[in-house]
Amino acid sequence: MAREYKCNTANETLEWINAIINFIKPYKFFIEAHVVNFFKDRQWEVVDEDWMDCLRNENVENLLLIPSGVVHKHWPESLNKFLLTSRHLSLTRVQADLQKVFAGCKMTELDKVLAQGMNAKKKHEIEALAGVISLVAQGVEADTIVDVGAGQGYLSQVLSFQHQHSVYAIDASSHHGRVTDARAERIRKHYAANIRKSRSKERDLRIPQTVTCRVLSANILKNLSDSILKKDNNSLNRPRESIVEEPQTASCPSSGSSCNSTLVLAGLHACGDLSVTMLRTFLECEEVKAVVSIGCCYNLISEEDHGVVDHHCGFPLSRDLKCSDFRLGKNARDLACQSAERWRSLGKAAGVNNFELHAFRAAFQMVLFQYYPETLMSSLAIGRQGKALRRQQQWKVLESSLNAEELADSSTCYNKGSRLHIDCSKSDQDKGSVVHKISVDKDENSIQGNRFALFIEYCQYGLRRLGLSQLQDVELQKIWEKTQPFMELIGPFWSLRAALGPVLETLLLLDRLLYLQEQGSALEVMLIPIFDPVLSPRNVALIAQKISG
């Protein structure tokens, strides 16, 4: 029977962390692999041959369930063990019953005024998180909530208008500050007008104060907290706080300060190191009594080099992990952003499309490797453009009478013999770049030919995005023929690699939890999933508060 891992104490958390580290060590080749090099490095050859032989014939729907740890009896025992262990070592993502976990939490649905401009994901996040933050703030008797990385101020405004807290919204973008102010003023006027019309009891309509500042360190955030605490409470009714570019002082009110106000730091998907900066500030600034943090963008986290201790890096954070000299690397942090729930929610057509885009990108890497080697020395970013191109091509396919079902079925079909006619012409709208019009001879292999045509245009589009012109001797047909026999392996490989994503994210979150647990018994700390993971994959909140004693 699999062991149940817990994280209620520092020792339990460290045991879980060590179990993850020991598990992922043999699969370093998955973690360090960059799928764009799938064909160039023949990455499938490092995977257990029985796994690939089994999965190459598996249907797309089952491949999409691999990151969730779903196994099948006819799969190799070692493969099932890998997936079950991965699932077992990952934090649960099922949304918690917040009413049970947080007694008295007000999960009020947003009215149309407050919800204006929010999509379903944002509305779901704000309703849940605002209720939790409000309850935490009440529990520590905080005077003010500081929304770190506030964006356009949705969370700040709900905390102000609906939950009646004084709020400061901090963001690096002055544009976001202006948007927050304008939106908050419109909301205030709407509520004020309704109060007058209904002749109901007047209430204080607090507007969140906006501060523009790039928070690069805990010292900056501590200084901002200091400034906020020293503000006259009456100033909270002013519509706009002065812009702070970068505070010069790193001081925070001492325990003997005459200022008795307290703060709660909150962050909804504070990117990269910003979530870590919030935790450091929480520990270092006495007046910050609680923190509610939901991280995001692990790929942007700074990481210590081997053998070099850097107290400002975002990983590792805990003392025990620092001493272990364990490091993840950029590819592992990228992989931690994968969401098993999002994979599981994809349909067959979307899954086929994703695997095909990976195959096209990896085959295009072969083109660059063979004909444009100097370009590989620079950072390449054409993935999203590739998706845009694919959407355009899907319309072309529809217009040429190939229906969507045929397109999905074509994912397992390949063609080496269809003839392509490529017409190169100039386009004024494309600023002089070459536009290639492709037509495929219709024969019994028209679907396969269409797939090859998409690859041709993907390559031409990619070259244009990179500012490269197509060389006369580029033989895309040969690249296609060389890679085509192995294209069916990229789906299984990418699915198996994605199965490590939830484990790696769990490791990052446990490191943050352990960092707080190492401070002793003066803190109450918890990790809890508070969003629907399909709507919001980064759904685990780290909540900590200081115990008064």
Side-chain angles (χ1 to χ4, degrees):
M1 184 177 178
R3 179 172 183 179
E4 181 183 358
Y5 289 97
K6 297 180 180 180
C7 53
N8 298 319
T9 65
N11 287 336
E12 289 179 348
T13 303
L14 182 58
E15 190 174 8
W16 193 343
I17 288 174
N18 287 332
I20 291 175
I21 292 174
N22 291 331
F23 168 68
I24 63 177
K25 280 180 180 178
Y27 303 106
K28 194 175 181 180
F29 61 88
F30 270 139
I31 294 174
E32 294 184 348
H34 201 313
V35 184
V36 300
N37 295 319
F38 183 74
F39 299 123
K40 184 177 75 70
D41 296 341
R42 300 182 68 86
Q43 291 174 347
W44 62 89
E45 293 182 347
V46 298
V47 186
D48 188 306
E49 188 175 351
D50 290 340
W51 294 15
M52 299 305 283
D53 286 343
C54 170
L55 295 179
R56 73 188 304 165
N57 299 315
E58 198 59 71
N59 62 57
V60 172
E61 292 90 336
N62 286 343
L63 293 181
L64 294 175
L65 293 175
I66 283 178
S68 297
V70 177
V71 301
H72 296 273
K73 290 182 179 179
H74 66 277
W75 288 1
E77 182 180 353
S78 59
L79 171 59
N80 286 343
K81 182 179 179 181
F82 164 74
L83 295 176
L84 290 173
T85 305
S86 176
R87 183 177 70 187
H88 182 67
L89 287 171
S90 301
L91 284 162
T92 180
R93 296 313 175 88
V94 178
Q95 183 181 14
D97 186 337
L98 300 183
Q99 301 290 354
K100 289 184 178 180
V101 177
F102 302 101
C105 180
K106 297 179 181 178
M107 301 291 295
T108 309
E109 184 175 357
L110 302 184
D111 60 35
K112 292 182 179 180
V113 177
L114 281 174
Q116 187 175 10
M118 299 185 194
N119 57 23
K121 173 180 180 290
K122 183 63 67 176
K123 182 173 181 290
H124 168 74
E125 292 172 343
I126 298 296
E127 287 177 347
L129 186 58
V132 171
I133 293 172
S134 179
L135 187 68
V136 170
Q138 292 171 20
V140 297
E141 298 181 345
D143 301 288
T144 303
I145 297 170
V146 181
D147 183 5
V148 183
Q152 297 187 30
Y154 292 134
L155 176 61
S156 297
Q157 289 154 9
V158 172
L159 287 169
S160 292
F161 290 109
Q162 184 163 293
H163 293 278
Q164 299 293 292
H165 294 284
S166 64
V167 182
Y168 273 76
I170 300 176
D171 196 85
S173 168
S174 58
H175 170 71
H176 284 166
R178 290 190 292 271
V179 170
T180 299
D181 287 336
R183 189 174 187 273
E185 183 60 22
R186 289 196 302 269
I187 294 171
R188 187 196 66 78
K189 287 181 178 179
H190 172 84
Y191 286 148
N194 284 350
I195 290 172
R196 288 194 299 270
K197 287 180 182 178
S198 63
R199 296 181 180 179
S200 58
K201 183 179 178 181
E202 290 191 12
R203 62 184 179 90
D204 183 20
L205 295 174
R206 293 183 171 181
I207 295 179
Q209 298 291 284
T210 55
V211 179
T212 298
C213 177
R214 187 173 298 278
V215 179
L216 300 176
S217 68
N219 281 342
I220 292 177
L221 191 52
K222 282 165 59 180
N223 186 56
L224 282 171
S225 301
D226 188 4
S227 301
I228 290 169
L229 289 169
K230 290 179 179 178
K231 292 290 181 183
D232 179 1
N233 288 335
N234 292 329
S235 71
L236 292 176
N237 289 319
R238 291 204 305 264
R240 177 88 172 128
E241 175 63 33
S242 59
I243 292 178
V244 181
E245 292 299 337
E246 182 170 332
Q248 299 300 313
T249 346
S251 62
C252 189
S254 63
S255 56
S257 172
S258 59
C259 177
N260 296 318
S261 297
T262 57
L263 301 175
V264 169
L265 297 182
L268 172 56
H269 295 154
C271 291
D273 287 345
L274 187 55
S275 294
V276 174
T277 298
M278 291 171 59
L279 301 184
R280 289 194 173 110
T281 306
F282 165 66
L283 293 179
E284 295 172 12
C285 190
E286 183 179 347
E287 275 67 27
V288 177
K289 298 300 182 183
V291 60
V292 182
S293 169
I294 301 177
C296 189
C297 302
Y298 305 120
N299 53 308
L300 300 179
I301 295 174
S302 60
E303 187 170 2
E304 289 182 355
D305 293 329
H306 284 281
V308 179
V309 177
D310 187 340
H311 297 291
H312 298 290
C313 281
F315 182 87
L317 193 60
S318 62
R319 180 176 60 250
D320 282 298
L321 257 184
K322 283 179 180 290
C323 293
S324 72
D325 201 33
F326 173 81
R327 301 297 180 267
L328 282 172
K330 185 180 185 304
N331 282 355
R333 298 195 308 274
D334 286 343
L335 186 53
C337 297
Q338 288 295 317
S339 165
E341 288 74 22
R342 284 282 175 89
W343 275 70
R344 192 168 61 238
S345 66
L346 290 176
K348 177 182 178 180
V352 165
N353 183 49
N354 283 348
F355 292 153
E356 189 167 87
L357 282 173
H358 281 303
F360 282 1
R361 179 62 183 87
F364 180 62
Q365 191 81 346
M366 292 285 286
V367 176
L368 296 174
F369 178 72
Q370 185 168 337
Y371 298 101
Y372 305 89
E374 69 285 350
T375 303
L376 291 180
M377 302 299 292
S378 60
S379 176
L380 303 178
I382 67 168
R384 290 190 179 275
Q385 289 78 13
K387 292 179 182 180
L389 174 66
R390 180 51 190 260
R391 285 193 293 270
Q392 296 169 13
Q393 292 305 318
Q394 285 175 328
W395 281 108
K396 290 183 180 180
V397 169
L398 290 171
E399 291 172 356
S400 64
S401 77
L402 284 175
N403 60 44
E405 183 176 353
E406 288 174 324
L407 179 62
D409 290 340
S410 73
S411 65
T412 57
C413 299
Y414 306 93
N415 175 51
K416 300 179 182 179
S418 293
R419 288 175 291 145
L420 297 177
H421 307 291
I422 303 177
D423 174 35
C424 297
S425 59
K426 292 288 183 178
S427 168
D428 293 335
Q429 294 180 346
D430 205 21
K431 297 182 180 179
S433 62
V434 176
V435 176
H436 303 276
K437 297 178 181 179
I438 299 177
S439 63
V440 183
D441 282 348
K442 297 283 185 172
D443 55 20
E444 67 277 5
N445 292 316
S446 61
I447 296 177
Q448 297 93 318
N450 177 71
R451 191 165 185 265
F452 181 31
L454 289 177
F455 170 65
I456 296 288
E457 191 155 356
Y458 181 99
C459 291
Q460 295 163 348
Y461 188 85
L463 291 174
R464 292 199 301 273
R465 293 294 303 183
L466 295 172
L468 301 171
S469 58
Q470 183 168 329
L471 303 175
Q472 293 297 321
D473 60 347
V474 173
E475 299 185 55
L476 296 179
Q477 177 79 22
K478 288 187 176 180
I479 297 290
W480 178 263
E481 291 177 355
K482 187 175 181 179
T483 59
Q484 180 268 334
F486 307 105
M487 284 192 173
E488 62 184 356
L489 299 177
I490 202 164
F493 184 89
W494 180 232
S495 302
L496 290 169
R497 185 173 184 268
L500 292 171
V503 184
L504 294 170
E505 182 181 14
T506 296
L507 177 60
L508 286 163
L509 293 173
L510 290 177
D511 174 52
R512 296 176 182 183
L513 175 66
L514 181 58
Y515 169 66
L516 296 179
Q517 290 175 330
E518 288 172 341
Q519 311 306 315
S521 59
L523 302 178
E524 286 184 353
V525 195
M526 67 186 304
L527 281 174
I528 182 170
I530 68 171
F531 304 143
D532 179 337
V534 175
L535 280 174
S536 184
R538 308 277 81 80
N539 74 331
V540 178
L542 177 55
I543 303 173
Q545 64 183 58
K546 295 170 182 173
I547 302 173
S548 58

